[in-house]
Amino acid sequence: MADMTSIFRRSAPRAPQDRLVTLVRKPGCHLCDDAQSVVEKVCADLGVPWEQKDITQDPQLHDQYWEQIPVVLVDGAQHTFWRVNEDRLRKALTE
């Protein structure tokens, strides 16, 4: 199997602390507040860094995600929007 091309090999799993969760939100959004609670809990439990971005302060994020906020990105890729499932986020960060 050592000569198998990289296209067929699975990449090594990344440690949770090497991941990054981004919450794209806007002020005054109750769904965003709910999403932030889940993101904070899961990231604290796993030692995953996270950040939040205000959609009203970034025209590119506004154009891309306005109808979906809150949006959760894992390592820059969209993971979910509107409602964040704690178990699904935890699984995405540990696989």
Side-chain angles (χ1 to χ4, degrees):
M1 239 201 295
D3 58 345
M4 185 183 297
T5 64
S6 62
I7 195 168
F8 296 109
R9 271 188 246 131
R10 280 191 153 179
S11 59
R14 294 173 64 185
Q17 62 271 19
D18 295 333
R19 313 299 300 267
L20 176 64
V21 174
T22 304
L23 174 62
V24 180
R25 58 167 301 151
K26 73 173 187 172
C29 167
H30 74 280
L31 287 177
C32 299
D33 294 339
D34 294 346
Q36 183 170 332
S37 295
V38 174
V39 168
E40 285 177 341
K41 180 181 187 315
V42 171
C43 288
D45 289 351
L46 298 175
V48 175
W50 74 279
E51 63 184 359
Q52 60 181 321
K53 295 192 177 184
D54 183 343
I55 200 166
T56 65
Q57 302 298 313
D58 186 322
Q60 182 180 357
L61 290 176
H62 182 276
D63 291 346
Q64 189 169 2
Y65 297 119
W66 179 251
E67 294 181 1
Q68 297 179 338
I69 61 165
V71 175
V72 175
L73 309 175
V74 174
D75 300 327
Q78 187 170 343
H79 169 72
T80 194
F81 62 97
W82 293 338
R83 302 233 182 245
V84 182
N85 179 286
E86 181 179 336
D87 293 333
R88 185 170 175 261
L89 179 57
R90 189 177 302 277
K91 183 176 180 182
L93 294 170
T94 56
E95 288 189 336

